[in-house]
Each structure stands twice: as C-alpha cells, then as structure tokens.
Amino acid sequence: MHGRLPTTPAALAAALAGGFDYDDGNGVDFEPFPEFLSAGETAGWFRSWTGNQEVDGACFRVFGQDGTGGYAAFWLVREGRGLVEQPVVFLGSEGETGVIARDLADFLWLLAGGVGPWEAAAGYGSEEGELRPDPAREAVAERFASGRRRGPAGVVADAGAEFPGFDEELMGLTR
C-alpha cells in the first residue's frame, strides 16, 4: 500500500467537488487537492512537520489542507484494508492533531454536517446546534454511505475512541 499513490476514490472526489466556502470564518476552512500529494511531497512535509529526518510519512495519503497549511489525510493504519476503510486524520500547521473519522464513509457524513477537517480537530461542531449542514455533500454521503448517517460530534468522538493513541504516537516521532 506504500507504493504507487492511489487515485482519489470516487466518493471522496464527489464530496470535495466544488470546493468549500470559508464564509469569513463561518464556513469550512478546507482546500482539497486535485490528487494525493506525492510520496516525495509527503516525506518533505512530514520531516519538516516532525523535525525528524528519519521519518517519511508513508502511512499518510494527504488530500487537502486548511488555510494555515494543516493537512487532512488518510492514515494507513488498518493492515490489509483498502484506502476507504482507513481513518481520516488532521495534522495542523501548529502541531494540532486528531483522528477525525473512522473511515471515508464517516468523513462524508462529517462534511455533510458542515464540518471540515480543521473544524473537527479543533472541536467545532461538537454542539450540533451550531452546525451548518451542506445539502450537496449530504446527497453525496447518501449516495456513497447510505445507512451510515451520523452527526459530526458522533463521527469525531467515535474516531477518537477507536484511535486514542494517535496524538502520542505522532509526538513520539517529533524531534
């Protein structure tokens, strides 16, 4: 799974189509990439982010960033499972980290609820009343993850509960 970069899954491409409206801080701060970062780009970024020249970030497939340069990525931690079954993580420009969705289906519902990667990692959307659901992305989630409907707070809570050691693992790589 660490060889050639995969193509963007159709569900992810559909969910990211059209970009996101930041709406002066009231929307989603996310800029999707047209394709995954290359292995070289990922290695360069991860070495810089950790300050550790011995790591390469090969366990991440980066697909977008927030306005400050924090990255959203699939974390290839489930041995023998496909890309869409891997958790989605956020690695912020200031060192903030978090597992924000257990898999692509949960990530689709996170976006449908009006919460992007940075907002999920920062705790925005933990109160369902403050959300601005996205009808177009809700249609995508219904199409690709029917029967998995969940609110953003539940998506993020379950992801964090399933992978409680993510932050510590990453901090163990920093120099």
Side-chain angles (χ1 to χ4, degrees):
M1 201 168 203
H2 296 293
R4 198 168 94 68
L5 288 179
T7 56
T8 303
L12 181 62
L16 301 180
F20 292 83
D21 184 4
Y22 184 57
D23 191 22
D24 292 322
N26 296 311
V28 173
D29 181 8
F30 189 60
E31 302 166 18
F33 297 147
E35 57 190 31
F36 291 105
L37 287 187
S38 71
E41 290 169 317
T42 300
W45 153 75
F46 197 62
R47 288 175 179 145
S48 177
W49 192 81
T50 60
N52 182 348
Q53 296 303 304
E54 298 172 17
V55 297
D56 63 8
C59 62
F60 297 107
R61 294 296 177 268
V62 179
F63 60 85
Q65 68 182 18
D66 73 341
T68 67
Y71 283 149
F74 286 100
W75 178 33
L76 309 181
V77 67
R78 291 185 170 133
E79 192 71 33
R81 307 267 292 276
L83 185 66
V84 302
E85 297 176 88
Q86 303 295 336
V88 177
V89 299
F90 180 77
L91 303 139
S93 62
E94 302 300 318
E96 61 275 42
T97 62
V99 181
I100 58 170
R102 295 176 304 167
D103 56 21
L104 179 56
D106 275 358
F107 184 65
L108 297 178
W109 285 108
L110 186 72
L111 295 176
V115 176
W118 177 83
E119 293 84 9
Y124 292 93
S126 58
E127 297 296 323
E128 301 291 338
E130 63 189 52
L131 300 176
R132 295 175 27 174
D134 184 326
R137 289 187 171 86
E138 184 175 349
V140 170
E142 282 291 349
R143 178 175 163 210
F144 290 100
S146 181
R148 296 272 311 265
R149 177 184 290 270
R150 305 170 34 129
V155 167
V156 174
D158 286 351
E162 185 172 343
F163 300 98
F166 179 69
D167 296 335
E168 293 76 24
E169 185 174 326
L170 284 177
M171 292 307 114
L173 298 175
T174 61
R175 300 291 179 254

mmCIF file of all heavy atoms in Angstrom, residues 114-147:
data_model
loop_
_atom_site.group_PDB
_atom_site.id
_atom_site.type_symbol
_atom_site.label_atom_id
_atom_site.label_comp_id
_atom_site.label_asym_id
_atom_site.label_seq_id
_atom_site.Cartn_x
_atom_site.Cartn_y
_atom_site.Cartn_z
ATOM 1 N N GLY A 114 -21.477 19.862 7.728
ATOM 2 C CA GLY A 114 -20.942 21.217 7.696
ATOM 3 C C GLY A 114 -19.652 21.396 8.466
ATOM 4 O O GLY A 114 -19.288 22.512 8.825
ATOM 5 N N VAL A 115 -18.931 20.297 8.712
ATOM 6 C CA VAL A 115 -17.685 20.352 9.472
ATOM 7 C C VAL A 115 -16.548 19.827 8.610
ATOM 8 O O VAL A 115 -16.642 18.745 8.041
ATOM 9 C CB VAL A 115 -17.805 19.510 10.769
ATOM 10 C CG1 VAL A 115 -16.486 19.467 11.519
ATOM 11 C CG2 VAL A 115 -18.909 20.073 11.656
ATOM 12 N N GLY A 116 -15.476 20.602 8.522
ATOM 13 C CA GLY A 116 -14.291 20.200 7.777
ATOM 14 C C GLY A 116 -13.245 19.602 8.697
ATOM 15 O O GLY A 116 -13.441 19.529 9.920
ATOM 16 N N PRO A 117 -12.121 19.181 8.143
ATOM 17 C CA PRO A 117 -11.064 18.550 8.951
ATOM 18 C C PRO A 117 -10.541 19.417 10.092
ATOM 19 O O PRO A 117 -10.434 18.959 11.228
ATOM 20 C CB PRO A 117 -9.965 18.254 7.922
ATOM 21 C CG PRO A 117 -10.699 18.112 6.634
ATOM 22 C CD PRO A 117 -11.809 19.116 6.707
ATOM 23 N N TRP A 118 -10.217 20.680 9.808
ATOM 24 C CA TRP A 118 -9.704 21.547 10.864
ATOM 25 C C TRP A 118 -10.753 21.765 11.940
ATOM 26 O O TRP A 118 -10.464 21.684 13.134
ATOM 27 C CB TRP A 118 -9.256 22.896 10.294
ATOM 28 C CG TRP A 118 -8.786 23.807 11.388
ATOM 29 C CD1 TRP A 118 -7.550 23.824 11.957
ATOM 30 C CD2 TRP A 118 -9.562 24.783 12.084
ATOM 31 N NE1 TRP A 118 -7.512 24.764 12.967
ATOM 32 C CE2 TRP A 118 -8.730 25.371 13.054
ATOM 33 C CE3 TRP A 118 -10.886 25.224 11.976
ATOM 34 C CZ2 TRP A 118 -9.179 26.379 13.922
ATOM 35 C CZ3 TRP A 118 -11.327 26.221 12.837
ATOM 36 C CH2 TRP A 118 -10.478 26.792 13.796
ATOM 37 N N GLU A 119 -11.983 22.029 11.527
ATOM 38 C CA GLU A 119 -13.056 22.274 12.492
ATOM 39 C C GLU A 119 -13.279 21.056 13.381
ATOM 40 O O GLU A 119 -13.497 21.188 14.587
ATOM 41 C CB GLU A 119 -14.358 22.650 11.768
ATOM 42 C CG GLU A 119 -14.311 23.992 11.054
ATOM 43 C CD GLU A 119 -13.693 23.939 9.665
ATOM 44 O OE1 GLU A 119 -13.437 22.823 9.143
ATOM 45 O OE2 GLU A 119 -13.457 25.009 9.096
ATOM 46 N N ALA A 120 -13.198 19.861 12.787
ATOM 47 C CA ALA A 120 -13.384 18.628 13.564
ATOM 48 C C ALA A 120 -12.268 18.475 14.598
ATOM 49 O O ALA A 120 -12.530 18.162 15.760
ATOM 50 C CB ALA A 120 -13.412 17.418 12.636
ATOM 51 N N ALA A 121 -11.019 18.706 14.182
ATOM 52 C CA ALA A 121 -9.884 18.565 15.096
ATOM 53 C C ALA A 121 -9.906 19.634 16.182
ATOM 54 O O ALA A 121 -9.476 19.388 17.316
ATOM 55 C CB ALA A 121 -8.572 18.619 14.323
ATOM 56 N N ALA A 122 -10.432 20.816 15.855
ATOM 57 C CA ALA A 122 -10.463 21.927 16.804
ATOM 58 C C ALA A 122 -11.670 21.874 17.733
ATOM 59 O O ALA A 122 -11.800 22.702 18.628
ATOM 60 C CB ALA A 122 -10.453 23.251 16.041
ATOM 61 N N GLY A 123 -12.569 20.916 17.496
ATOM 62 C CA GLY A 123 -13.719 20.770 18.372
ATOM 63 C C GLY A 123 -14.947 21.549 17.944
ATOM 64 O O GLY A 123 -15.961 21.517 18.624
ATOM 65 N N TYR A 124 -14.875 22.256 16.814
ATOM 66 C CA TYR A 124 -16.060 22.950 16.326
ATOM 67 C C TYR A 124 -17.041 21.912 15.818
ATOM 68 O O TYR A 124 -16.663 20.910 15.255
ATOM 69 C CB TYR A 124 -15.703 23.920 15.193
ATOM 70 C CG TYR A 124 -14.885 25.078 15.680
ATOM 71 C CD1 TYR A 124 -13.501 25.032 15.644
ATOM 72 C CD2 TYR A 124 -15.499 26.208 16.199
ATOM 73 C CE1 TYR A 124 -12.732 26.089 16.108
ATOM 74 C CE2 TYR A 124 -14.743 27.268 16.668
ATOM 75 C CZ TYR A 124 -13.364 27.197 16.620
ATOM 76 O OH TYR A 124 -12.608 28.240 17.079
ATOM 77 N N GLY A 125 -18.297 22.181 16.032
ATOM 78 C CA GLY A 125 -19.313 21.230 15.594
ATOM 79 C C GLY A 125 -19.622 20.196 16.655
ATOM 80 O O GLY A 125 -20.425 19.310 16.440
ATOM 81 N N SER A 126 -18.969 20.333 17.844
ATOM 82 C CA SER A 126 -19.279 19.383 18.914
ATOM 83 C C SER A 126 -20.675 19.640 19.470
ATOM 84 O O SER A 126 -21.279 18.757 20.059
ATOM 85 C CB SER A 126 -18.222 19.462 20.021
ATOM 86 O OG SER A 126 -18.160 20.775 20.544
ATOM 87 N N GLU A 127 -21.171 20.831 19.262
ATOM 88 C CA GLU A 127 -22.557 21.154 19.599
ATOM 89 C C GLU A 127 -23.340 21.158 18.290
ATOM 90 O O GLU A 127 -23.143 22.042 17.461
ATOM 91 C CB GLU A 127 -22.649 22.523 20.267
ATOM 92 C CG GLU A 127 -21.917 22.595 21.597
ATOM 93 C CD GLU A 127 -22.514 21.676 22.637
ATOM 94 O OE1 GLU A 127 -23.757 21.520 22.665
ATOM 95 O OE2 GLU A 127 -21.738 21.097 23.403
ATOM 96 N N GLU A 128 -24.179 20.175 18.096
ATOM 97 C CA GLU A 128 -24.877 20.019 16.821
ATOM 98 C C GLU A 128 -25.679 21.265 16.434
ATOM 99 O O GLU A 128 -25.890 21.528 15.264
ATOM 100 C CB GLU A 128 -25.802 18.796 16.852
ATOM 101 C CG GLU A 128 -25.092 17.484 17.134
ATOM 102 C CD GLU A 128 -24.185 17.002 16.009
ATOM 103 O OE1 GLU A 128 -24.365 17.413 14.855
ATOM 104 O OE2 GLU A 128 -23.292 16.207 16.299
ATOM 105 N N GLY A 129 -26.107 22.075 17.398
ATOM 106 C CA GLY A 129 -26.914 23.251 17.102
ATOM 107 C C GLY A 129 -26.174 24.331 16.341
ATOM 108 O O GLY A 129 -26.787 25.170 15.690
ATOM 109 N N GLU A 130 -24.844 24.355 16.414
ATOM 110 C CA GLU A 130 -24.077 25.405 15.745
ATOM 111 C C GLU A 130 -23.657 25.033 14.328
ATOM 112 O O GLU A 130 -22.954 25.788 13.672
ATOM 113 C CB GLU A 130 -22.843 25.768 16.582
ATOM 114 C CG GLU A 130 -21.857 24.622 16.739
ATOM 115 C CD GLU A 130 -20.740 24.918 17.735
ATOM 116 O OE1 GLU A 130 -21.042 25.302 18.864
ATOM 117 O OE2 GLU A 130 -19.580 24.746 17.347
ATOM 118 N N LEU A 131 -24.075 23.891 13.848
ATOM 119 C CA LEU A 131 -23.656 23.409 12.534
ATOM 120 C C LEU A 131 -24.464 24.030 11.405
ATOM 121 O O LEU A 131 -25.594 24.447 11.589
ATOM 122 C CB LEU A 131 -23.802 21.893 12.469
ATOM 123 C CG LEU A 131 -22.981 21.121 13.491
ATOM 124 C CD1 LEU A 131 -23.274 19.649 13.383
ATOM 125 C CD2 LEU A 131 -21.508 21.386 13.301
ATOM 126 N N ARG A 132 -23.839 24.058 10.239
ATOM 127 C CA ARG A 132 -24.494 24.485 9.010
ATOM 128 C C ARG A 132 -24.395 23.339 8.018
ATOM 129 O O ARG A 132 -23.445 23.265 7.237
ATOM 130 C CB ARG A 132 -23.819 25.740 8.476
ATOM 131 C CG ARG A 132 -23.992 26.923 9.398
ATOM 132 C CD ARG A 132 -23.249 28.145 8.962
ATOM 133 N NE ARG A 132 -23.016 28.221 7.534
ATOM 134 C CZ ARG A 132 -22.483 29.246 6.935
ATOM 135 N NH1 ARG A 132 -22.120 30.287 7.613
ATOM 136 N NH2 ARG A 132 -22.281 29.245 5.635
ATOM 137 N N PRO A 133 -25.338 22.400 8.046
ATOM 138 C CA PRO A 133 -25.285 21.248 7.141
ATOM 139 C C PRO A 133 -25.168 21.681 5.686
ATOM 140 O O PRO A 133 -25.646 22.743 5.302
ATOM 141 C CB PRO A 133 -26.604 20.529 7.404
ATOM 142 C CG PRO A 133 -26.980 20.935 8.786
ATOM 143 C CD PRO A 133 -26.512 22.358 8.927
ATOM 144 N N ASP A 134 -24.526 20.833 4.903
ATOM 145 C CA ASP A 134 -24.266 21.096 3.500
ATOM 146 C C ASP A 134 -25.120 20.129 2.670
ATOM 147 O O ASP A 134 -24.788 18.951 2.559
ATOM 148 C CB ASP A 134 -22.769 20.885 3.226
ATOM 149 C CG ASP A 134 -22.363 21.212 1.816
ATOM 150 O OD1 ASP A 134 -23.166 20.980 0.878
ATOM 151 O OD2 ASP A 134 -21.229 21.668 1.650
ATOM 152 N N PRO A 135 -26.223 20.615 2.087
ATOM 153 C CA PRO A 135 -27.133 19.728 1.341
ATOM 154 C C PRO A 135 -26.472 18.979 0.184
ATOM 155 O O PRO A 135 -26.782 17.807 -0.049
ATOM 156 C CB PRO A 135 -28.224 20.670 0.830
ATOM 157 C CG PRO A 135 -28.170 21.855 1.739
ATOM 158 C CD PRO A 135 -26.726 21.988 2.151
ATOM 159 N N ALA A 136 -25.552 19.622 -0.539
ATOM 160 C CA ALA A 136 -24.894 18.943 -1.663
ATOM 161 C C ALA A 136 -24.032 17.795 -1.152
ATOM 162 O O ALA A 136 -24.028 16.704 -1.737
ATOM 163 C CB ALA A 136 -24.043 19.937 -2.456
ATOM 164 N N ARG A 137 -23.317 18.006 -0.059
ATOM 165 C CA ARG A 137 -22.473 16.940 0.478
ATOM 166 C C ARG A 137 -23.310 15.888 1.211
ATOM 167 O O ARG A 137 -22.913 14.733 1.280
ATOM 168 C CB ARG A 137 -21.383 17.535 1.356
ATOM 169 C CG ARG A 137 -20.372 18.267 0.490
ATOM 170 C CD ARG A 137 -19.150 18.765 1.199
ATOM 171 N NE ARG A 137 -18.196 19.242 0.220
ATOM 172 C CZ ARG A 137 -18.183 20.473 -0.305
ATOM 173 N NH1 ARG A 137 -19.069 21.363 0.074
ATOM 174 N NH2 ARG A 137 -17.279 20.805 -1.210
ATOM 175 N N GLU A 138 -24.463 16.282 1.701
ATOM 176 C CA GLU A 138 -25.377 15.295 2.278
ATOM 177 C C GLU A 138 -25.849 14.335 1.194
ATOM 178 O O GLU A 138 -25.927 13.121 1.410
ATOM 179 C CB GLU A 138 -26.570 15.984 2.938
ATOM 180 C CG GLU A 138 -27.487 15.017 3.635
ATOM 181 C CD GLU A 138 -28.604 15.704 4.396
ATOM 182 O OE1 GLU A 138 -28.563 16.929 4.568
ATOM 183 O OE2 GLU A 138 -29.521 14.981 4.828
ATOM 184 N N ALA A 139 -26.122 14.848 0.003
ATOM 185 C CA ALA A 139 -26.529 13.994 -1.119
ATOM 186 C C ALA A 139 -25.402 13.028 -1.488
ATOM 187 O O ALA A 139 -25.652 11.857 -1.782
ATOM 188 C CB ALA A 139 -26.922 14.847 -2.318
ATOM 189 N N VAL A 140 -24.157 13.506 -1.443
ATOM 190 C CA VAL A 140 -23.003 12.635 -1.723
ATOM 191 C C VAL A 140 -22.912 11.545 -0.665
ATOM 192 O O VAL A 140 -22.724 10.362 -0.973
ATOM 193 C CB VAL A 140 -21.696 13.450 -1.792
ATOM 194 C CG1 VAL A 140 -20.487 12.527 -1.845
ATOM 195 C CG2 VAL A 140 -21.704 14.385 -2.991
ATOM 196 N N ALA A 141 -23.061 11.919 0.600
ATOM 197 C CA ALA A 141 -22.991 10.934 1.680
ATOM 198 C C ALA A 141 -24.108 9.899 1.549
ATOM 199 O O ALA A 141 -23.880 8.706 1.750
ATOM 200 C CB ALA A 141 -23.054 11.640 3.039
ATOM 201 N N GLU A 142 -25.293 10.347 1.199
ATOM 202 C CA GLU A 142 -26.408 9.415 0.989
ATOM 203 C C GLU A 142 -26.096 8.449 -0.155
ATOM 204 O O GLU A 142 -26.404 7.267 -0.080
ATOM 205 C CB GLU A 142 -27.708 10.170 0.690
ATOM 206 C CG GLU A 142 -28.380 10.761 1.888
ATOM 207 C CD GLU A 142 -28.973 9.731 2.835
ATOM 208 O OE1 GLU A 142 -29.058 8.530 2.492
ATOM 209 O OE2 GLU A 142 -29.336 10.128 3.945
ATOM 210 N N ARG A 143 -25.466 8.964 -1.186
ATOM 211 C CA ARG A 143 -25.145 8.138 -2.360
ATOM 212 C C ARG A 143 -24.096 7.085 -2.046
ATOM 213 O O ARG A 143 -24.213 5.929 -2.445
ATOM 214 C CB ARG A 143 -24.672 9.045 -3.494
ATOM 215 C CG ARG A 143 -24.277 8.309 -4.741
ATOM 216 C CD ARG A 143 -23.929 9.289 -5.848
ATOM 217 N NE ARG A 143 -23.173 8.614 -6.882
ATOM 218 C CZ ARG A 143 -22.276 9.197 -7.640
ATOM 219 N NH1 ARG A 143 -22.038 10.485 -7.512
ATOM 220 N NH2 ARG A 143 -21.629 8.518 -8.549
ATOM 221 N N PHE A 144 -23.045 7.481 -1.335
ATOM 222 C CA PHE A 144 -21.912 6.586 -1.128
ATOM 223 C C PHE A 144 -21.884 5.914 0.248
ATOM 224 O O PHE A 144 -21.134 4.952 0.430
ATOM 225 C CB PHE A 144 -20.591 7.346 -1.328
ATOM 226 C CG PHE A 144 -20.326 7.725 -2.752
ATOM 227 C CD1 PHE A 144 -20.586 9.010 -3.197
ATOM 228 C CD2 PHE A 144 -19.820 6.797 -3.654
ATOM 229 C CE1 PHE A 144 -20.325 9.376 -4.515
ATOM 230 C CE2 PHE A 144 -19.563 7.150 -4.970
ATOM 231 C CZ PHE A 144 -19.824 8.445 -5.406
ATOM 232 N N ALA A 145 -22.636 6.436 1.200
ATOM 233 C CA ALA A 145 -22.592 5.879 2.558
ATOM 234 C C ALA A 145 -23.986 5.820 3.166
ATOM 235 O O ALA A 145 -24.192 6.142 4.333
ATOM 236 C CB ALA A 145 -21.650 6.712 3.433
ATOM 237 N N SER A 146 -24.928 5.396 2.353
ATOM 238 C CA SER A 146 -26.305 5.258 2.810
ATOM 239 C C SER A 146 -26.347 4.307 4.001
ATOM 240 O O SER A 146 -25.648 3.304 4.041
ATOM 241 C CB SER A 146 -27.160 4.725 1.666
ATOM 242 O OG SER A 146 -28.486 4.598 2.075
ATOM 243 N N GLY A 147 -27.143 4.654 4.966
ATOM 244 C CA GLY A 147 -27.254 3.813 6.157
ATOM 245 C C GLY A 147 -26.192 4.098 7.208
ATOM 246 O O GLY A 147 -26.204 3.486 8.272
#
